[in-house]
Amino acid sequence: MKQGPLAGLRVVELAGLAPAPFACMILADLGADVIRVDRAAPGADVLGIPNDPLARGRRSVGVNTKTPEGVELVLKLAERADVLIEGFRPGVAERMGLGPEQVHARNPRLVYGRMTGWGQDGPLASAAGHDINYIGVAGALDPIGRAGERPVPPLNLVGDFGGGGLMLAMGVLAALHERTTSGRGQVVDASMVEGAALLTTSLHGMRAAGVWPGERGENLLDGGAPFYDTYETADGKYVAIGAIEMRFWADLVKVLGLENEDLPMHVDQSQWPRLRKILAEAVGRFTRDELVARAEGTDACLTAVLSPWEAAEHPQNAARGTFVDIGGTVQPAPAPRFDRTPAATPEAPHEKGADTADVLADLGYDDAGVAALREAGAVL
């Protein structure tokens, strides 16, 4: 039995890329029994990497959905499930015979989660794209970067994962909550454009209030303010400074040894160029770890900038178990935390199709039935 607040929830995942697997990873981390329907072909393919953390914590069946027997098998899985998640372009699942109408005909209580870049309709619905395209249209890419320079892609964190997979998981849980009163499933249409746009809500409010007046890299939280930025240390590493409030700024001044300097008011935007130079020179006199040690016990809001590979060693992360080793790969642990129904450490990703026989047995197939499906090329 799975452990966590979603224990007992049954999910069918039609294997795809990045955002939909991330949503399923979250559900599996929190206790859902997720069956991943992989392509019925041995070996690696473009849909994953070996020991991919996004595939952790669930069983895998290898199914050829280009055969009638394969489609019927997925429909049987959906009959017993609470959720089905797919991340194909609009219309693909329908052509497979696994669209919402086809699935709901077999299980009207099922929540059908759909993950796309543009959404299920609109002029760009069928167009190709990646995270960078979706966040560009959402207005989430333009504000990121230095003043006078081009926008900088924030990896694929904003579209694929924040605006995509995380929003899809939240939408699925909302639909499950609604089902407790209606008794009916529904389609969750999660678009990375809309999810990324939602992440910019605060920017729209600040712009309307006149507290985000500048262009890229000229404002409070985009690196425009010298007291909210990163600086290089003497050893070529970096620290992050976020001393916005006056009391935090006062502590930062002490940490940097500037309390006896004639400093301009840190909120005076006309003095930001001068202040940036002062801070850069002060930070550059110390190594990263020296500065972190000086800031310890203060409210200077000065921390190390760690690589993802260093982060697991940070004392705070080590104390909280923020990272775990799963199958030899150090990776983030499940989040958030629950006091009564804590999530377990996820299992390492299963090999593609490793659980086909077990899942088929759960559906009532005997050895002869499994052999027949394999003979027909329907399963791995």
Side-chain angles (χ1 to χ4, degrees):
M1 182 67 176
K2 298 273 287 192
Q3 177 180 323
L6 296 183
L9 187 73
R10 294 167 295 185
V11 179
V12 175
E13 170 191 3
L14 303 185
L17 291 170
F22 183 59
C24 292
M25 185 202 82
I26 293 170
L27 299 177
D29 280 356
L30 299 184
D33 178 15
V34 181
I35 296 176
R36 180 180 170 96
V37 178
D38 281 304
R39 294 176 179 177
D45 57 30
V46 297
L47 291 182
I49 60 175
N51 205 29
D52 184 0
L54 292 181
R56 71 193 191 190
R58 51 243 207 224
R59 294 183 287 170
S60 169
V61 295
V63 180
N64 182 359
T65 53
K66 293 182 180 180
T67 66
E69 296 89 348
V71 172
E72 177 62 22
L73 174 58
V74 176
L75 289 172
K76 286 185 176 181
L77 289 172
E79 284 179 355
R80 298 157 54 100
D82 299 290
V83 179
L84 183 145
I85 289 180
E86 58 96 351
F88 307 128
R89 291 199 209 187
V92 171
E94 284 83 351
R95 292 193 293 274
M96 293 168 65
L98 297 171
E101 289 188 11
Q102 293 131 324
V103 172
H104 280 149
R106 305 284 283 265
N107 182 358
R109 287 178 52 82
L110 182 134
V111 171
Y112 193 108
R114 318 196 79 169
M115 183 80 260
T116 61
W118 310 107
Q120 293 297 316
D121 51 32
L124 289 176
S126 62
H130 283 295
D131 180 291
I132 194 170
N133 309 115
Y134 308 137
I135 68 174
V137 171
L141 176 58
D142 180 78
I144 302 173
R146 293 294 179 184
E149 299 181 11
R150 65 182 185 272
V152 176
L155 306 182
N156 62 333
L157 300 179
V158 175
D160 279 350
F161 299 118
L166 191 59
M167 292 291 183
L168 174 58
M170 183 189 70
V172 164
L173 296 178
L176 288 169
H177 174 72
E178 190 278 337
R179 190 182 71 175
T180 62
T181 55
S182 70
R184 300 171 57 197
Q186 60 181 304
V187 176
V188 179
D189 175 3
S191 150
M192 283 179 264
V193 171
E194 290 154 12
L198 188 62
L199 296 178
T200 71
T201 301
S202 178
L203 291 182
H204 288 273
M206 288 190 285
R207 185 76 168 190
V211 295
W212 195 273
E215 299 303 318
R216 180 185 317 112
E218 298 176 350
N219 302 283
L220 179 64
L221 302 177
D222 60 2
F227 49 84
Y228 197 92
D229 206 346
T230 59
Y231 291 89
E232 187 174 0
T233 55
D235 53 349
K237 298 180 180 180
Y238 294 87
V239 293
I241 290 175
I244 299 174
E245 293 85 349
M246 189 63 205
R247 65 186 185 278
F248 301 157
W249 170 252
D251 274 13
L252 177 67
V253 168
K254 294 176 183 177
V255 167
L256 295 179
L258 297 174
E259 60 265 46
N260 296 321
E261 298 286 332
D262 180 21
L263 300 177
M265 286 293 296
H266 77 299
V267 293
D268 182 352
Q269 191 166 353
S270 68
Q271 295 296 313
W272 282 2
R274 177 186 166 210
L275 189 56
R276 182 179 302 280
K277 183 178 179 181
I278 292 171
L279 292 180
E281 290 176 351
V283 169
R285 291 194 288 266
F286 303 93
T287 68
R288 185 188 69 182
D289 292 346
E290 285 172 345
L291 268 183
V292 169
R294 289 172 65 91
E296 188 174 351
T298 76
D299 282 335
C301 299
L302 183 151
T303 56
V305 174
L306 303 175
S307 73
W309 338 123
E310 292 178 288
E313 304 301 323
H314 188 277
Q316 176 66 23
N317 293 333
R320 292 271 294 175
T322 304
F323 292 82
V324 291
D325 187 316
I326 301 174
T329 300
V330 176
Q331 55 197 269
R337 302 187 180 209
F338 300 83
D339 68 342
R340 289 190 300 101
T341 57
T345 299
E347 294 180 352
H350 292 198
E351 290 291 331
K352 183 167 61 174
D355 307 290
T356 300
D358 288 343
V359 171
L360 290 177
D362 290 345
L363 291 176
Y365 287 87
D366 58 17
D367 291 345
V370 174
L373 286 174
R374 285 184 170 143
E375 180 68 22
V379 300
L380 188 63

